[in-house]
Amino acid sequence: MAFRVGVLVSGEGSNLQAILDSVHGRDGVEVVCVGSSRTEARGLERAEGVGVDTAVFAKADYPDREARDAALGNWLDDHHVDLVVLAGFMEVLSGPFIRRFEGRIVNVHPSLLPAFAGINAIEQALEYGVRVAGVTVHFVDEGVDSGPVILQEAFELPYARDIAAVEQRVHEVEHRLLPRAIQLIAAGAVSIDPDQPRLVRVDDGRSR
Ligand code: GRF
C-alpha cells in the first residue's frame, strides 16, 4: 500500500518540486494532493503539471482560521494522507489541526532551529552575523517552528554575505533534506521516543 503524502505550499514551490522529482512515485511514496493558502502559488501549477490533485484554502474564504483549517483537514483526510508536509506553507496552523494530524506533520525551516524561528530566518541569521547557517526538518507542534527535530544540516557562511547566494545554498540543502526526511518517515525509520518526546530517532544507517 502506498505511503500517501499531502503537501501544503504558499508560493514558489521549489521544495514541492524536489519532492515530486525525487520522492513521488518511488518506493511506494505518492504525493496525493497539494493544498495552497494562496491562489497565485506557483506550487499549484507544479502539482497540476504532474496530475496531482490541488485545492486552495485561503483564510479570506472562511469565517476564521479554525474553519479554514477544519476544511483543509477534511480535504487531507479525504485523500487519506499518512503525512502532511509543509513546504513553504507560510501560515500557522491552528491547534485542532495540529492535534488532528499529531505526529504526522513535518516542516522545513531555513535555519538551524531553535535559532531564528519564524519568518525571514535567513535575514535574521545574516543580521545576527552567524558563521554557520543551515536547514532543519522538524515535526510540527503547536508552537512556531518548535517541534522535535528530525534532520538538520549546517554549512559555513563566507565572510562576504550575499543574501541571494545564501538563499541558493539554503535551497540546495532543503531540496535534499526534506525529500530525505519524507523517505525515512515512509520507510518507518523515524520515531519519537515516548520517554523523551523531544528526541527523534532516525534509523538511516548512521548511528544517531
Ligand atoms: C523555504 O526556504 C522554506 O524553508 C521556507 O519557505 C521557503 C519556501 O520555498 N519555509 P519554496 O516555496 O519551496 O520554493
Side-chain angles (χ1 to χ4, degrees):
M1 226 174 69
F3 184 85
R4 301 170 67 85
V5 177
V7 182
L8 302 183
V9 299
S10 295
E12 180 56 31
S14 68
N15 280 284
L16 167 66
Q17 190 65 55
I19 295 164
L20 292 173
D21 291 344
S22 60
V23 178
H24 180 52
R26 295 183 196 199
D27 300 324
V29 182
E30 296 289 334
V31 175
V32 293
C33 56
V34 171
S36 172
S37 57
R38 295 168 60 239
T39 43
E40 321 81 79
R42 177 146 145 65
L44 291 169
E45 285 168 38
R46 297 179 189 267
E48 284 155 13
V50 291
V52 171
D53 199 13
T54 63
V56 176
F57 295 88
K59 251 185 335 205
D61 296 339
Y62 298 87
D64 55 31
R65 189 157 57 99
E66 294 211 355
R68 192 277 309 268
D69 290 358
L72 175 59
N74 291 342
W75 183 75
L76 291 164
D77 271 344
D78 287 345
H79 286 82
H80 303 288
V81 299
D82 297 298
L83 184 69
V84 179
V85 177
L86 310 187
F89 187 69
M90 302 308 286
E91 291 187 23
V92 175
L93 290 158
S94 53
F97 182 96
I98 305 294
R99 291 192 289 278
R100 180 172 181 172
F101 295 94
E102 196 178 353
R104 294 192 289 141
I105 314 172
V106 298
N107 180 44
V108 61
H109 184 76
S111 78
L112 292 174
L113 290 170
F116 313 122
I119 57 164
N120 299 329
I122 298 172
E123 288 88 338
Q124 290 185 56
L126 291 183
E127 268 171 37
Y128 193 90
V130 294
R131 300 306 304 261
V132 176
V135 170
T136 303
V137 179
H138 63 94
F139 282 115
V140 174
D141 66 8
E142 292 187 42
V144 175
D145 301 322
S146 57
V149 171
I150 303 167
L151 296 177
Q152 284 187 309
E153 188 173 315
F155 56 88
E156 285 191 22
L157 289 172
Y159 184 71
R161 272 96 198 280
D162 169 3
I163 183 147
V166 177
E167 278 170 354
Q168 194 188 339
R169 184 74 199 274
V170 164
H171 273 114
E172 282 165 20
V173 176
E174 288 183 338
H175 297 166
R176 270 187 293 106
L177 217 61
L178 183 58
R180 180 88 190 115
I182 296 168
Q183 285 163 342
L184 288 163
I185 292 168
V190 176
S191 55
I192 293 188
D193 182 338
D195 296 328
Q196 299 181 79
R198 289 294 315 176
L199 211 54
V200 178
R201 187 180 165 86
V202 179
D203 295 315
D204 63 351
R206 289 182 260 175
S207 57
R208 281 174 187 259

